[in-house]
C-alpha cells in the first residue's frame, strides 16, 4: 500500500463529511442468489460527491428466488437515480412530486406491500432497499446513484463506504477519485474490516490536486477461511483528507457557467466568547443521561479559553443559576464549576421556557452592566431530553418568547438528548436565533457527542460575514450572509454566471473580528477555471450546476423551518421545482420504482425526515420476557452465568449450559472459550444486559465424586517491555504503589508520551493515554473503549472492534482479540490490551524499543537508559539486581503470559521487577 508523505501545509484541516455506501444481499448465499460483480465508483469533485453503486446478481437456484438490493447512504445525500435491468429490460425509478406519488404509495400499503424503500437506520444513515423476483439462471443489474455536497466538520473531510456483501464476490472493486483544485495536503485511510492480508488489495495514490483510492480484493483475500463463501468484508472504509489554503481563505471555482466560492480563512485569532450552558436536570434525565452530561460538561469546562466568560443554569420544575453573573474562565472558577457540575442530580419536571428566558436575561443584564468584553461572541447552549411539562408548555409560544427575548443579539444552539424530545421544536428555536440543533444519541459515547458538538462552536473567528459579487457578473446566488464563522467549518456560496460576465470573477468578503472589521478579496479567471475541470476521470458532467441546485434546495428546506407561512410556501415551491428539474429525491419528492409485470407493480422511495422514531430498538418489555431463554455465553469459565439487567425493571436469571467436551467421571473438564455478551434494550431506557461470569460447574453435570481442584493460573504482567539489544529479553513490570496519574514514558525525539493511572488492587491500569506529536493524535484507552482524538474530533472504538487506520507516519490497528497496536516507521510499537473482564483494566506492551532515543525518560522510560545488571552474592541464576539512574531494583526470573500477539497469550520467561 502506498501512502504518500503529505506536503507541509500550515492550514486548518478540511473535512469531507460522511459519504457512506452500503451494499448487502441479506440471504444471497442461502437462496441461490449470487453477486458476481459489485462496484462502487465515487467521484468527489470540489467537495461535491457523485456515487454510483452497481450490483450484478445471478440466480443459481432451479426455481425463482428473491434478490434484495440494500444499501445505506448519508442523510444529507439526495438519491438521483435508481434502475434495474432484468432480461435486457430497464426498469427505472421515476422521481415525482410527493403528492403525485402518494396515491401509489397508499395503494401499496393497502395491499400489504412494503412500499417505503428508504428509512433512517442510524445517526447519519438512511437505508435503501428494493427486492425483485429473479427467474432461474436469470441475471439482474441494480444501479443506484446519489449526490451530496460534503460539509466541513471539525476541520476534516471524511469519505465513508460501508462494505457488507455477505458473500465473496468474484469482481469486487471500489474506486474513489478525488479532485481538489486547491490541492490535497494530506490523505489518510481507516477501515474496520481491513487485515494485513487485505491491505495488499488497497492502493492509494496522490499528486498535488488528485487522489485515487482503489480497493480490489481477490476471492481468497475476501474469504474468512479457504474454500468458504463467508467474507471478512463487513464494516467501514474511510478516507480523510485536507486541502491547501491561501491566506485569503477563499477559493472560487467555475465550471460550465456556474461558480462555487469556498471560504475558510487561515490564521485568525479566536474571539472571546460568553457562554451560558442551560442544562436539563428533570427526572427523565436520571441515570445514564445525567451521568454522561456531567462527564461531558466537566470536560467542556476544561476547554474554555482564558478570555472566555461563562455561567451554568440548571432547570427542572425550577430554574437555578450557578452564579449571579457570568464569570471569567479562570482556573479557580472552572474548578468550582466542575465541582458544581459533578453534583447535578436529576428530578422534577421540565420548565424550558423559564430556563431560556433566564439565560437571555442573564446575558442582557451583564451586557448592560458592561461586564462582557467588547467584541466578544455570546452563545446559549441548551441541552434537554424532553418536551416542556412545567410553566409555559406550548412549543410555539416558547419559540416566540425566546425569539423576542434574544432579538438577534445572541446565538442559540439546541441539543436534544435521545428520542423523547421534539426535534422539530428545538430545530426551529435554534434556527430562529442564528444557531443550529443537534440530536445526541443515547449510547456509550453520548458524552463524546456532547464534547464534539462543543468543539464545533468553541472557536468563533468571525461574525456578520457578508459575500459581495459584481451585480453584472452573477445571478441566483445562494445564501451570502452568515452570522458566525467557527474554526474548522467552511462557508459555501454558489451561483450562476451571467451571459456577458467579466473574464475575471472577483469577490469581497466582509466580517468582524475581535474589535475590528476585516475584508478578504478573491479573484478567479473564468477561462482558467473552466480548463481545470476537463478530466472526465475525475469529473462528472455539469457537476457544479448540480452542486448549486443541491445547495439551494438544502438551504431553502432549512429556511422553511423558521419562515412565515407565506414565505415558507414560496421556498417550498422553488425547492420542489429544482428537485424535479435535477431529479433529486428530497423531502418534497418521491421516487416510484417500477417492476416487471406480475410482481409488485411499484414501490415508492421517500426521503425520511428527522423525528422521534427509533426503528432499531428492542422494547424493554419484550427483552424482559424473552431474554431469559436466549443463550448467553461466558468467557473461559465453566458453568452458568447470571444475566443481570441494569436499570428498570430489575431482572436476574440463571442460565445453564452444556459443557463441551462432556464431563468425565474423574478429573476436571477442559475450559471452553465463549465470546462476551452485551445487549442494548431501548431508546428511552439506557439499560444494558451483560454477562457476569461465575466460576462454577453445571449442577446437572457434576459427578458426585468429583473433587474440584483449582490451580493458580500464570498471570500477565501489567507492563511488558522488550529490552533493546540482540538478546530479545523481556522485562515484566509490576507497580506496587501508585494512586496518581503517572508519566510512564516520554521521548521528545520520537514525539511520544505515555501516561496512565495504575490500580494497585487489580494490578492493572485504570486508563492509559498515548500522545503523538507527528501526526498529532491522542489515544485514550479505558477498559470500556478506545477514544482517538485527531483534529479536535473524537472517535470511539469498542475493544475487539476491528480497526485499521493509516495516517501519515502512524498506523493504528486492532484485531478481534482486542489488541490495539500503534506503530510507524522508525517508531516504538506501543500495544494496549483490555482484559476480557472490564473490571480488570489494561495491559501495556512495548516492542521495537531500539527506536527509543537517548532522551527517553519516565517510570518505564528509565529502563531504556544505561542499565547495569548485577548478580547478588550467593544468588542463583534466577536473581539479578538492576541499577537504573541511581536506584536498585530486584529482578526475578518468572513465568508470565505474553499478549504481544493478542489473547490467549503464550508462556514466556521474563525478568520480573516491582516498582
Amino acid at each position: 500500500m502506498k501512502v504518500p508523505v503529505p506536503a507541509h501545509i500550515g492550514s486548518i484541516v478540511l473535512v469531507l463529511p460522511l459519504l457512506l455506501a452500503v451494499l448487502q444481499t441479506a440471504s444471497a448465499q442461502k437462496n441461490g442468489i449470487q453477486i458476481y460483480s459489485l462496484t462502487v465508483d465515487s467521484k468527489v469533485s470540489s467537495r461535491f460527491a457523485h456515487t454510483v453503486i452497481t450490483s450484478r446478481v445471478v440466480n443459481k437456484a432451479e426455481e425463482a428466488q428473491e434478490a434484495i438490493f440494500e444499501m445505506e447512504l448519508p442523510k444529507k445525500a439526495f438519491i438521483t437515480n435508481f434502475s434495474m435491468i432484468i432480461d435486457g429490460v430497464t426498469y427505472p425509478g421515476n422521481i415525482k412530486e410527493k403528492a403525485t406519488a402518494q396515491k401509489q404509495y397508499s395503494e401499496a400499503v393497502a395491499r400489504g406491500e412494503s412500499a417505503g424503500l428508504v428509512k433512517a437506520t442510524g445517526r447519519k444513515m438512511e437505508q435503501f432497499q428494493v427486492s425483485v423476483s429473479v427467474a432461474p439462471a436469470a441475471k439482474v443489474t441494480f444501479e443506484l446513484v446519489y449526490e451530496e455536497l460534503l460539509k466541513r466538520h471539525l476541520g476534516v473531510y471524511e469519505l465513508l463506504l460501508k462494505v457488507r456483501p455477505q458473500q465473496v464476490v468474484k469482481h469486487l472493486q471500489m474506486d474513489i477519485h478525488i479532485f481538489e483544485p486547491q490541492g490535497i495536503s494530506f490523505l489518510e485511510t481507516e477501515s474496520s474490516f481491513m487485515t494485513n492480508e487485505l491491505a495488499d488489495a488497497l492502493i492509494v495514490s496522490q499528486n498535488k490536486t488528485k487522489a485515487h483510492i482503489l480497493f480490489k480484493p481477490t476471492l481468497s483475500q475476501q474469504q474468512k477461511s479457504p474454500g468458504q463463501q463467508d467474507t471478512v468484508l463487513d464494516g467501514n472504509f474511510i478516507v480523510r483528507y485536507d486541502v491547501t489554503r491561501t491566506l485569503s481563505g477563499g477559493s472560487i471555482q467555475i465550471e460550465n457557467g456556474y461558480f462555487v466560492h469556498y471560504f475558510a480563512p487561515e490564521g485568525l485569532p479566536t474571539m472571546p466568547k460568553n457562554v451560558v450552558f442551560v442544562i436539563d436536570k428533570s427526572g427523565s434525565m436520571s441515570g445514564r443521561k445525567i451521568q454522561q452530561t456531567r462527564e461531558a460538561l466537566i470536560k467542556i469546562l476544561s476547554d474554555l479559553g482564558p478570555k472566555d466568560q461563562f455561567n451554568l443554569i440548571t432547570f427542572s420544575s425550577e430554574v437555578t443559576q450557578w452564579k449571579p453573573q457570568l464569570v471569567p474562565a479562570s482556573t479557580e472558577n472552572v474548578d468550582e464549576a466542575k465541582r458544581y457540575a459533578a453534583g447535578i442530580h436529576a428530578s422534577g419536571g421540565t420548565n424550558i421556557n423559564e430556563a431560556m428566558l433566564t439565560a437571555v436575561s442573564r446575558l442582557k443584564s451583564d451586557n448592560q452592566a458592561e461586564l462582557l468584553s467588547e467584541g466578544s461572541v455570546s452563545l446559549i447552549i441548551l441541552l434537554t431530553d424532553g418536551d416542556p411539562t412545567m410553566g409555559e408548555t406550548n412549543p410555539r409560544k416558547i419559540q416566540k418568547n425566546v425569539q423576542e427575548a434574544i432579538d438577534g443579539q445572541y446565538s442559540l444552539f439546541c441539543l436534544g438528548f435521545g428520542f423523547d424530545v421534539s426535534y422539530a421544536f428545538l430545530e426551529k428555536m435554534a434556527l430562529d436565533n442564528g444557531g443550529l440543533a443537534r440530536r445526541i444519541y443515547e449510547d456509550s459515547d453520548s458524552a463524546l457527542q456532547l464534547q464534539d458538538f462543543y468543539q464545533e462552536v468553541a472557536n468563533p473567528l468571525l461574525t456578520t460575514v457578508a459575500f459581495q459579487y459584481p451585480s453584472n457578473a452573477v445571478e441566483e446566488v445562494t445564501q451570502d450572509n452568515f452570522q458566525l464563522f467557527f474554526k474548522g467549518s467552511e462557508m459555501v456560496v454558489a451561483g450562476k454566471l451571467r451571459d456577458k460576465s467579466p473574464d475575471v470573477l472577483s469577490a469581497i468578503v466582509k466580517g468582524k473580528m475581535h474589535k475590528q472589521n476585516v475584508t478578504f478579496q478573491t479573484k478567479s479567471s473564468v477561462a482558467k477555471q473552466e480548463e481545470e475541470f476537463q478530466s472526465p476521470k475525475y469529473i462528472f458532467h455539469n457537476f457544479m450546476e448540480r452542486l448549486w441546485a443541491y445547495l439551494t434546495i438544502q438551504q431553502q428546506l432549512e429556511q422553511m423551518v423558521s419562515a412565515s407561512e407565506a414565505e415558507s410556501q414560496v421556498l417550498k415551491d422553488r425547492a420542489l421545482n429544482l428537485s424535479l428539474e435535477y431529479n433529486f429525491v428530497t423531502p418534497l419528492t418521491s421516487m416510484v420504482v417500477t417492476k416487471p409485470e406480475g410482481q409488485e407493480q411499484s414501490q415508492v422511495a421517500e426521503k425520511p425526515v428527522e423525528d422521534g422514531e427509533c426503528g432499531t430498538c428492542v422494547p424493554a418489555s419484550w427483552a424482559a420476557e424473552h431474554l431469559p431463554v436466549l443463550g448467553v455465553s461466558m468467557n473461559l469459565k465453566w458453568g452458568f452465568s447470571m444475566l443481570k439487567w441494569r436499570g428498570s425493571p430489575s431482572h436476574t436469571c440463571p442460565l445453564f449450559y452444556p459443557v463441551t467436551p462432556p464431563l468425565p467421571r474423574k478429573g476436571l473438564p477442559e475450559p471452553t472459550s465463549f465470546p462476551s455478551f452485551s445487549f442494548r434494550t431501548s431508546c428511552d431506557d439506557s439499560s444494558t444486559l451483560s454477562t457476569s461470569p461465575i466460576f462454577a460447574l453445571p449442577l446437572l453435570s457434576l459427578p458426585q465424586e468429583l473433587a474440584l481442584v483449582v490451580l493458580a493460573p500464570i498471570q500477565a504482567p501489567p507492563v511488558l517491555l522488550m529490552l533493546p539489544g540482540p538478546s530479545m529479553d523481556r522485562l515484566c513490570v509490576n507497580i506496587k504503589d501508585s494512586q496518581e496519574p503517572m508519566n510512564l514514558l516520554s521521548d521528545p525525539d520520537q514525539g511520544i508520551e505515555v501516561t496512565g493511572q495504575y490500580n494497585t488492587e487489580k494490578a492493572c491500569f485504570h486508563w492509559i493515554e498515548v500522545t503523538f506529536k507527528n501526526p498529532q493524535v491522542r489515544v485514550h484507552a479505558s477498559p470500556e473503549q478506545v477514544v482517538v482524538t485527531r483534529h479536535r474530533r473524537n472517535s470511539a472504538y469498542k475493544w475487539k472492534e476491528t480497526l485499521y487506520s493509516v495516517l501519515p507516519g502512524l498506523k493504528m490497528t486492532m484485531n478481534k482479540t482486542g489488541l490495539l497496536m500503534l506503530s510507524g516507521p522508525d517508531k516504538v510499537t506501543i500495544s494496549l490490551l483490555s482484559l476480557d473482564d472490564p473490571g480488570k483494566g489494561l495491559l501495556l506492551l512495548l516492542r521495537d524499543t531500539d527506536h527509543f532515543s537517548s532522551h527517553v525518560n519516565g517510570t518505564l522510560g528509565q529502563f531504556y537508559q544505561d542499565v547495569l545488571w548485577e548478580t547478588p552474592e550467593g544468588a542463583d541464576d534466577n536473581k539479578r539486581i538492576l541499577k537504573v539512574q541511581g536506584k536498585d531494583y530486584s529482578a526475578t526470573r518468572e513465568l508470565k503470559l505474553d499478549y504481544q500477539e493478542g489473547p490467549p497469550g503464550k508462556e514466556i520467561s521474563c525478568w520480573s521487577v516491582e516498582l
Side-chain angles (χ1 to χ4, degrees):
M1 181 175 61
K2 179 183 176 185
V3 181
V5 177
H8 177 72
I9 304 293
S11 67
I12 298 175
V13 175
L14 188 68
V15 181
L16 185 79
L18 212 56
L19 169 65
L20 179 144
V22 179
L23 189 68
Q24 173 184 351
T25 301
S27 56
Q29 293 261 250
K30 298 177 182 178
N31 66 5
I33 297 293
Q34 181 186 66
I35 307 173
Y36 64 89
S37 176
L38 169 59
T39 61
V40 178
D41 184 78
S42 185
K43 289 182 170 63
V44 183
S45 306
S46 186
R47 282 68 141 191
F48 196 62
H50 175 89
T51 301
V52 181
I53 297 104
T54 306
S55 175
R56 293 178 170 88
V57 305
V58 60
N59 181 10
K60 295 282 190 178
E62 296 180 355
E63 55 188 19
Q65 297 290 341
E66 182 182 52
I68 302 173
F69 176 83
E70 179 179 291
M71 57 84 61
E72 294 178 25
L73 64 155
K75 287 183 178 180
K76 292 291 185 182
F78 290 157
I79 293 172
T80 66
N81 188 46
F82 173 76
S83 64
M84 296 182 292
I85 302 175
I86 307 173
D87 294 331
V89 179
T90 299
Y91 298 88
N94 300 310
I95 295 177
K96 303 179 180 181
E97 182 181 357
K98 183 168 286 189
T100 305
Q102 188 62 42
K103 182 179 178 181
Q104 290 171 281
Y105 180 86
S106 301
E107 289 174 352
V109 171
R111 292 193 302 267
E113 298 171 359
S114 53
L117 300 182
V118 185
K119 61 182 179 180
T121 57
R123 299 179 187 179
K124 301 176 181 179
M125 296 171 281
E126 293 170 355
Q127 183 186 80
F128 177 92
Q129 178 178 299
V130 171
S131 61
V132 64
S133 180
V134 184
K139 295 181 179 180
V140 179
T141 297
F142 300 98
E143 183 178 277
L144 184 91
V145 184
Y146 65 85
E147 295 174 345
E148 178 188 16
L149 176 60
L150 303 165
K151 184 180 178 183
R152 194 179 189 212
H153 175 71
L154 284 176
V156 177
Y157 284 113
E158 187 172 276
L159 183 71
L160 169 61
L161 294 134
K162 192 169 182 179
V163 185
R164 289 187 69 195
Q166 295 205 353
Q167 60 174 275
V168 295
V169 180
K170 184 177 181 180
H171 176 230
L172 190 151
Q173 182 168 329
M174 290 193 298
D175 274 288
I176 302 167
H177 292 278
I178 301 172
F179 175 53
E180 290 291 348
Q182 289 177 252
I184 301 171
S185 62
F186 87 87
L187 189 75
E188 60 190 41
T189 63
E190 177 182 321
S191 170
S192 63
F193 60 81
M194 195 74 68
T195 61
N196 287 326
E197 292 76 18
L198 271 175
D200 296 334
L202 178 66
I203 300 174
V204 181
S205 57
Q206 175 193 344
N207 61 24
K208 184 179 178 181
T209 60
K210 297 183 179 73
H212 179 215
I213 298 95
L214 171 66
F215 180 63
K216 191 177 180 181
T218 64
L219 281 171
S220 61
Q221 286 175 319
Q222 297 174 49
Q223 291 171 337
K224 281 188 176 180
S225 57
Q228 291 192 358
Q229 293 298 303
D230 291 340
T231 177
V232 297
L233 302 182
D234 185 359
N236 300 332
F237 181 79
I238 306 169
V239 179
R240 299 186 182 98
Y241 72 87
D242 183 18
V243 301
T244 310
R245 298 184 180 281
T246 62
L247 293 176
S248 69
S251 173
I252 298 177
Q253 296 166 26
I254 300 168
E255 190 255 350
N256 202 29
Y258 287 79
F259 79 92
V260 60
H261 185 178
Y262 295 107
F263 182 73
E266 287 289 304
L268 299 182
T270 298
M271 301 175 69
K273 60 184 181 293
N274 315 300
V275 190
V276 179
F277 299 97
V278 184
I279 308 299
D280 183 348
K281 63 167 188 174
S282 61
S284 58
M285 285 284 290
S286 61
R288 196 181 188 191
K289 287 183 188 175
I290 202 68
Q291 177 186 343
Q292 291 177 319
T293 299
R294 288 194 299 258
E295 177 187 337
L297 189 54
I298 289 170
K299 180 65 173 66
I300 288 169
L301 290 169
S302 299
D303 292 337
L304 289 169
K307 296 182 180 179
D308 294 337
Q309 297 190 85
F310 73 103
N311 202 350
L312 305 174
I313 293 177
T314 58
F315 70 95
S316 53
S317 305
E318 298 180 348
V319 177
T320 303
Q321 295 188 63
W322 170 56
K323 294 289 185 182
Q325 61 190 39
L326 274 74
V327 298
S330 64
T331 302
E332 295 79 7
N333 287 335
V334 168
D335 287 345
E336 184 182 345
K338 287 180 181 179
R339 290 191 292 271
Y340 178 82
I344 297 175
H345 296 284
S347 66
T350 308
N351 194 338
I352 294 177
N353 186 70
E354 185 180 345
M356 289 304 305
L357 296 183
T358 301
V360 177
S361 176
R362 179 75 280 132
L363 283 170
K364 281 187 174 181
S365 298
D366 287 6
N367 190 38
Q368 290 169 358
E370 299 184 350
L371 299 175
L372 308 183
S373 61
E374 183 184 355
S376 59
V377 175
S378 296
L379 312 175
I380 299 173
I381 299 178
L382 166 68
L383 172 66
T384 182
D385 78 328
D387 293 334
T389 61
M390 304 291 290
E392 179 58 66
T393 58
N394 185 314
R396 290 190 178 183
K397 187 66 184 295
I398 295 173
Q399 290 164 343
K400 181 181 179 184
N401 292 344
V402 172
Q403 185 174 17
E404 290 177 352
I406 289 178
D407 194 25
Q409 300 300 306
Y410 319 117
S411 294
L412 170 62
F413 298 89
C414 298
L415 305 177
F417 206 142
F419 284 85
D420 291 333
V421 64
S422 169
Y423 186 81
F425 162 64
L426 295 180
E427 182 182 39
K428 176 171 172 55
M429 194 158 61
L431 293 176
D432 283 346
N433 297 285
L436 56 86
R438 181 74 50 80
R439 190 186 295 283
I440 302 299
Y441 292 83
E442 289 184 65
D443 211 333
S444 59
D445 69 339
S446 296
L448 290 178
Q449 294 177 56
L450 290 167
Q451 292 168 37
D452 279 355
F453 171 80
Y454 174 74
Q455 285 298 325
E456 290 184 55
V457 300
N459 298 285
L461 303 179
L462 292 171
T463 64
T464 322
V465 182
F467 291 69
Q468 298 176 2
Y469 306 94
S471 58
N472 65 335
V474 300
E475 60 184 350
E476 296 195 51
V477 177
T478 59
Q479 180 182 343
D480 56 9
N481 283 272
F482 303 86
Q483 187 166 332
L484 282 169
F485 172 68
F486 295 101
K487 181 179 179 180
S489 65
E490 183 176 55
M491 294 180 176
V492 185
V493 178
K496 293 182 181 180
L497 297 180
R498 292 187 181 272
D499 291 338
K500 296 181 180 181
S501 61
D503 295 335
V504 175
L505 177 60
S506 61
I508 296 175
V509 182
K510 295 184 177 181
K512 293 182 179 179
M513 289 172 53
H514 181 45
K515 296 184 179 180
Q516 65 177 356
N517 296 324
V518 63
T519 300
F520 301 86
Q521 291 186 326
T522 305
K523 292 183 179 181
S524 187
S525 166
V526 175
K528 186 178 179 181
Q529 284 291 313
E530 291 276 11
E531 189 178 341
E532 285 263 21
F533 296 100
Q534 295 304 314
S535 171
K537 186 175 181 181
Y538 285 82
I539 306 303
F540 51 97
H541 185 58
N542 288 345
F543 86 93
M544 201 162 288
E545 179 179 355
R546 298 189 64 81
L547 183 159
W548 164 82
Y550 173 97
L551 182 60
T552 301
I553 294 168
Q554 287 281 24
Q555 290 180 350
Q556 288 171 345
L557 292 172
E558 185 176 283
Q559 290 164 10
M560 284 170 58
V561 175
S562 55
S564 66
E565 188 173 341
E567 292 170 338
S568 180
Q569 187 59 49
V570 172
L571 291 167
K572 180 180 178 181
D573 290 344
R574 187 169 184 224
L576 173 60
N577 290 336
L578 284 174
S579 299
L580 294 172
E581 181 179 352
Y582 289 94
N583 227 46
F584 286 137
V585 177
T586 71
L588 305 176
T589 56
S590 300
M591 181 172 67
V592 179
V593 178
T594 57
K595 292 188 179 184
E597 187 175 351
Q599 300 190 37
E600 296 176 15
Q601 285 303 295
S602 64
Q603 288 182 293
V604 179
E606 295 188 342
K607 185 80 173 169
V609 295
E610 185 75 57
D611 57 22
E613 295 297 321
C614 178
T616 60
C617 295
V618 179
S621 57
W622 183 94
E625 179 182 351
H626 292 83
L627 281 174
V629 299
L630 296 178
V632 179
S633 54
M634 300 167 292
N635 189 8
L636 293 174
K637 300 292 180 184
W638 298 285
F640 68 91
S641 174
M642 300 299 287
L643 183 63
K644 293 183 178 179
W645 181 292
R646 300 181 192 137
S648 177
S650 176
H651 192 81
T652 302
C653 55
L655 296 166
F656 292 83
Y657 309 92
V659 174
T660 305
L663 275 174
R665 296 297 294 175
K666 304 284 186 182
L668 290 171
E670 291 297 319
T672 304
S673 178
F674 296 91
S676 58
F677 176 83
S678 183
F679 194 87
R680 176 82 167 83
T681 59
S682 65
C683 294
D684 55 358
D685 185 344
S686 60
S687 305
T688 59
L689 293 167
S690 66
T691 54
S692 176
I694 297 173
F695 192 86
L697 290 172
L699 301 181
L700 298 178
S701 302
L702 272 174
Q704 293 181 357
E705 66 272 26
L706 177 65
L708 183 60
V709 179
V710 181
L711 301 176
I714 297 174
Q715 299 293 329
V719 179
L720 179 62
L721 308 179
M722 295 293 294
L723 295 175
S727 68
M728 298 298 290
D729 213 341
R730 303 170 179 87
L731 196 65
C732 294
V733 181
N734 294 289
I735 302 169
K736 66 178 181 180
D737 185 21
S738 175
Q739 301 298 327
E740 300 299 322
M742 307 169 63
N743 174 23
L744 298 174
L745 65 89
S746 177
D747 189 336
D749 294 8
Q750 282 268 302
I752 296 174
E753 183 176 302
V754 182
T755 56
Q757 188 162 29
Y758 191 76
N759 187 320
T760 53
E761 291 183 6
K762 297 178 180 178
C764 60
F765 286 96
H766 179 58
W767 58 263
I768 296 174
E769 187 166 284
V770 184
T771 304
F772 294 91
K773 187 176 181 180
N774 186 26
Q776 292 186 354
V777 177
R778 184 174 72 245
V779 179
H780 184 94
S782 67
E784 294 74 33
Q785 63 182 1
V786 177
V787 177
V788 178
T789 303
R790 179 151 164 78
H791 310 308
R792 299 183 296 123
R793 176 179 176 271
N794 296 304
S795 298
Y797 305 94
K798 295 178 181 178
W799 291 102
K800 300 187 179 182
E801 181 178 299
T802 306
L803 169 67
Y804 194 97
S805 177
V806 180
L807 286 63
L810 178 66
K811 183 165 75 172
M812 296 185 291
T813 64
M814 181 161 58
N815 57 27
K816 293 293 185 182
T817 68
L819 181 68
L820 174 67
M821 295 180 64
L822 311 171
S823 60
D826 301 320
K827 274 189 170 69
V828 175
T829 297
I830 300 172
S831 298
L832 304 174
L833 179 69
S834 177
L835 298 173
D836 286 330
D837 182 352
K840 291 185 178 178
L842 306 170
L843 303 182
L844 172 64
L845 314 161
L846 298 183
R847 66 183 182 192
D848 302 321
T849 53
D850 287 333
H851 294 312
F852 274 129
S853 75
S854 59
H855 299 110
V856 64
N857 60 75
T859 303
L860 304 178
Q862 64 178 327
F863 293 104
Y864 295 96
Q865 296 287 358
D866 294 329
V867 179
L868 296 176
W869 294 76
E870 294 183 357
T871 303
E873 186 176 348
D876 57 27
D877 290 341
N878 292 325
K879 301 287 185 181
R880 291 288 188 275
I881 297 293
L882 271 68
K883 293 183 176 291
V884 183
Q885 296 184 345
K887 296 180 181 179
D888 291 357
Y889 296 99
S890 296
T892 306
R893 269 289 181 191
E894 294 182 359
L895 283 179
K896 296 288 185 180
L897 274 181
D898 178 7
Y899 282 116
Q900 289 279 14
E901 303 300 327
K906 63 180 180 180
E907 289 184 21
I908 61 163
S909 173
C910 68
W911 290 106
S912 185
V913 174
E914 194 170 75
L915 302 184

